[in-house]
Amino acid sequence: MRKPWLKRLAHASEPWLYSAPSLILIIAVMLVPLVVGISYAFRDIQLLNPFSGGFIGIEHFRDLAKDAAFYTALKNTLWWTGASVILQFFFGLFLALLLDKPFWGRGLVQALVFLPWAVPSFLAGLNWAWLFNPVIGPIPHWLFALGLMDQPGNILSDPRHAMWGPIVANVWWGIPFFAITLLAALQAIPRDLYEAASIDGANWFQRFRSITLPFLAPTIAITVLLRTVWISNFADLIVVMTGGGPADRTQIVASYIFTQAFKRLDFGYASAIALVLLVLLLVYSMLIILLRQTLLNKD
Amino acid sequence: MKRSVLPTIAHRLAILCYIAFALFPLFWLLKVSVTPNDLLYSEGVRLWPSRTTWDHYAFVLQHSAFPTFFKNSVIVAASTAVVVTICASLSGYALSRFSFRAKYLIVALMLLTQMFPLVMLVAPIFKILSPLGLTNSLTGLVIVYTAFNVPFATFLMQSFFDGIPKDLEEAAMIDGATKFIAFRQIILPLTLPGIAATLGFVFTAAWSELLFALMLINGNSAATFPVGLLTFVSKFSVDFGQMMAAGVMALIPAALFFLLIQRYLVQGLTAGAVKG
């Protein structure tokens, strides 16, 4: 009688044993501080004010609703995230397809094109800010020579186009991420399928549509989901390259939180903004997960 | 004959474009780091300066705590990468191979950790780690970075495990192996490319992290490289040559690491293809 019971317990606890180290870390270092952080959104937490810390209810959110800079940041976040993810994804997918074909020197090429990912984001930001700088960078002079600019100026201080600076830096930095993940998924597709399809007379596009895409779809869904969320939370490049300027034209929600938390040391207000962003991203993720579920169920 | 040559040329050309786009900014970094100060602005747009100098490097190595930053970053990034990969292999395997009731709860929890702005955690984490003596310590940084990277690494490993047929370990278990032995001896070796990719991702992520390093570390003794670079920006705000020299040196381990992983990745993939 006892043995099957013990066996059942051992069987039921097995997945938990595998997951335990990860779960303990996540709960202790992320979930608990998250709850504490959410409580900050309803408190008056200013690092330099020793009398702060009191509970103030939804006052931060009332301020937020009237905060014009927040709405600008929200709009900029959509633009920044959308453009970055789409460009990274298509360039990344194309690169993965190029690298999926065997050719001489592929290992070296892979190492070279994936290298930007190894560059610290902070340094990547400075590097691109430098490239866009008309005094010492080449890009303004190239744009001028192509007739795209009236005179070699700094795109980062041009209110109309400033956002393209961090976006280009982000695309450069993020292509390898998509390429690596998609390449790994491509390599896992059984080669016989392609051979069989070729024998049946399918051309490249037909093979891509009916073999490659269905196999990649789950990977694409999860990568795009994670990437979108990461990029909308990713303030490093903007903070380093423009600091949100000129005139808040490149200020995204994440960099706005950064400004509130680190320059004004207002952790309470920063947490309130972060909470709003969190809710928006959760809604977005739910939609994507539902989409993925329906796609998977269709097969 | 012609029909097979044209796509090949297009393929190689596209590859070349990617290489140029990926490497040009890094080339520029190198160029600026060897340009003497007096030529920095006058020869700003030239592809290579008429004179080169190692002065910026010498200054950084002799007059800054950069060697310490470097050592700290290597310790933090390497430890984080190893610990995360171990945790993520286990939890990724659990998500891939077991069906249990709380699985969706775990997935939801891990997705949740990817949703919120990490800025939100800075103050609470500081307050939690401080009484434990884990602020201003590399161990504290490793713990924080490990937790941050485990969720994504788990998903990554899970997708690699999903790609391996279940029959393999079922066969081993019929032969008398326990599930864990089957996991360690049969499944893990097959996911070497996945492990390599995970190690690479986590190493570079930990190597680049700035925000928490800034908040949790004060003083030079435990500072990591991004914090060191920021010190450079604020202290020598116009000395781009020195900053870029420091940047180039900081790139070297990441680049080497990537080259190594790369070879390993290709090897693993080829081995997998032969077996498959």
Side-chain angles (χ1 to χ4, degrees):
Chain A
M1 264 323 260
R2 276 192 71 172
K3 222 176 170 186
W5 180 80
L6 261 179
K7 227 176 179 173
R8 239 181 23 229
L9 182 74
H11 190 71
S13 64
E14 210 180 350
W16 290 104
L17 288 178
Y18 283 101
S19 328
S22 298
L23 282 181
I24 290 169
L25 268 168
I26 291 170
I27 289 168
V29 185
M30 298 187 83
L31 206 60
V32 172
L34 174 66
V35 173
V36 177
I38 289 173
S39 80
Y40 285 1
F42 303 95
R43 288 164 66 187
D44 177 29
I45 305 264
Q46 292 174 31
L47 220 55
L48 290 183
N49 182 356
F51 301 107
S52 69
F55 180 78
I56 56 161
I58 59 162
E59 199 174 304
H60 285 316
F61 296 97
R62 235 177 255 146
D63 292 342
L64 196 57
K66 286 178 288 191
D67 189 347
F70 172 69
Y71 291 108
T72 315
L74 212 54
K75 234 173 18 204
N76 288 339
T77 304
L78 278 180
W79 175 220
W80 149 258
T81 311
S84 300
V85 172
I86 290 170
L87 290 173
Q88 284 182 1
F89 170 68
F90 280 106
F91 283 117
L93 177 63
F94 191 58
L95 179 59
L97 289 171
L98 288 176
L99 290 174
D100 191 36
K101 245 171 91 171
F103 59 90
W104 187 84
R106 180 166 72 169
L108 182 66
V109 168
Q110 237 168 284
L112 293 179
V113 291
F114 291 167
L115 200 56
W117 184 263
V119 178
S121 52
F122 175 73
L123 186 63
L126 280 174
N127 200 176
W128 278 96
W130 184 283
L131 292 171
F132 283 122
N133 188 323
V135 183
I136 36 233
I139 293 178
H141 299 276
W142 292 347
L143 291 176
F144 175 62
L146 288 171
L148 292 171
M149 251 182 193
D150 305 334
Q151 55 183 26
N154 194 339
I155 198 174
L156 295 177
S157 52
D158 174 355
R160 279 170 307 151
H161 305 299
M163 193 54 117
W164 283 108
I167 288 175
V168 169
N170 197 13
V171 170
W172 176 78
W173 195 66
I175 287 175
F177 170 87
F178 271 110
I180 292 171
T181 328
L182 293 173
L183 182 62
L186 279 175
Q187 304 270 12
I189 301 174
R191 300 283 130 162
D192 339 355
L193 283 180
Y194 288 110
E195 281 158 31
S198 304
I199 291 166
D200 290 345
N203 63 26
W204 183 87
F205 182 73
Q206 284 167 327
R207 287 192 306 250
F208 178 75
R209 219 197 47 188
S210 50
I211 301 174
T212 314
L213 267 190
F215 264 95
L216 287 187
T219 313
I220 289 175
I222 195 100
T223 338
V224 168
L225 163 73
L226 288 177
R227 204 62 203 151
T228 307
V229 173
W230 271 359
I231 288 175
S232 40
N233 284 333
F234 182 47
D236 297 27
L237 288 177
I238 286 181
V239 168
V240 168
M241 291 178 77
T242 65
D248 276 352
R249 283 306 174 93
T250 59
Q251 188 80 280
I252 61 167
V253 177
S255 63
Y256 192 50
I257 297 170
F258 183 87
T259 314
Q260 296 295 328
F262 290 91
K263 299 213 172 125
R264 294 175 46 188
L265 296 170
D266 191 343
F267 277 100
Y269 194 52
S271 292
I273 309 171
L275 194 57
V276 173
L277 183 59
L278 171 61
V279 170
L280 292 175
L281 291 175
L282 272 177
V283 170
Y284 163 81
S285 312
M286 291 299 163
L287 289 175
I288 293 279
I289 289 171
L290 279 178
L291 191 74
R292 185 179 184 234
Q293 259 356 85
T294 23
L295 278 179
L296 283 179
N297 289 343
K298 218 172 62 181
D299 297 335
Chain B
M1 196 59 210
K2 214 175 174 187
R3 272 179 67 193
S4 65
V5 166
L6 261 180
T8 310
I9 291 173
H11 178 262
R12 300 299 187 277
L13 271 180
I15 293 268
L16 273 180
C17 290
Y18 270 104
I19 294 178
F21 181 56
L23 294 189
F24 182 76
L26 301 178
F27 162 75
W28 203 255
L29 195 70
L30 183 72
K31 180 235 154 185
V32 172
S33 75
V34 296
T35 306
N37 274 336
D38 54 319
L39 297 181
L40 203 55
Y41 297 99
S42 56
E43 296 189 356
V45 281
R46 275 175 63 143
L47 279 185
W48 196 251
S50 51
R51 262 182 308 119
T52 58
T53 173
W54 296 103
D55 288 356
H56 300 310
Y57 289 88
F59 183 90
V60 166
L61 285 174
Q62 285 159 10
H63 300 280
S64 75
F66 193 78
T68 316
F69 302 151
F70 195 85
K71 193 190 77 200
N72 290 341
S73 268
V74 169
I75 294 172
V76 169
S79 323
T80 307
V82 171
V83 179
V84 167
T85 307
I86 293 170
C87 292
S89 311
L90 292 168
S91 48
Y93 185 69
L95 292 184
S96 169
R97 285 302 196 266
F98 294 91
S99 50
F100 54 113
R101 233 176 283 160
K103 188 162 130 179
Y104 288 99
L105 205 68
I106 294 181
V107 172
L109 174 70
M110 289 192 173
L111 278 178
L112 175 78
T113 63
Q114 303 295 303
M115 302 301 142
F116 57 87
L118 290 176
V119 175
M120 210 167 166
L121 300 183
V122 166
I125 284 187
F126 188 86
K127 285 193 176 168
I128 292 169
L129 290 186
S130 181
L132 300 172
L134 288 174
T135 52
N136 218 6
S137 97
L138 296 181
T139 318
L141 274 188
V142 171
I143 293 173
V144 172
Y145 291 174
T146 303
F148 287 176
N149 285 298
V150 151
F152 175 71
T154 299
F155 291 133
L156 195 63
M157 287 307 295
Q158 184 200 348
S159 69
F160 278 103
F161 287 127
D162 283 345
I164 294 171
K166 281 186 184 172
D167 328 352
L168 281 176
E169 71 232 77
E170 274 159 17
M173 282 162 74
I174 288 166
D175 291 347
T178 66
K179 191 141 191 158
F180 186 69
I181 288 177
F183 165 67
R184 220 186 49 195
Q185 296 187 344
I186 294 167
I187 307 302
L188 268 191
L190 284 176
T191 36
L192 280 183
I195 290 175
T198 311
L199 277 173
F201 278 136
V202 178
F203 184 92
T204 48
W207 183 266
S208 320
E209 209 285 332
L210 173 70
L211 187 57
F212 283 80
L214 267 179
M215 282 301 288
L216 297 177
I217 305 288
N218 54 59
N220 277 347
S221 63
T224 53
F225 151 75
V227 180
L229 250 192
L230 193 73
T231 323
F232 256 88
V233 178
S234 46
K235 267 194 198 153
F236 312 91
S237 56
V238 284
D239 219 318
F240 288 104
Q242 284 168 15
M243 243 170 50
M244 295 298 161
V248 169
M249 281 190 272
L251 264 180
I252 292 168
L256 281 181
F257 191 84
F258 240 67
L259 284 172
L260 282 176
I261 287 295
Q262 206 52 54
R263 203 187 297 159
Y264 190 53
L265 238 177
V266 174
Q267 219 176 44
L269 292 171
T270 328
V274 169
K275 273 177 210 139

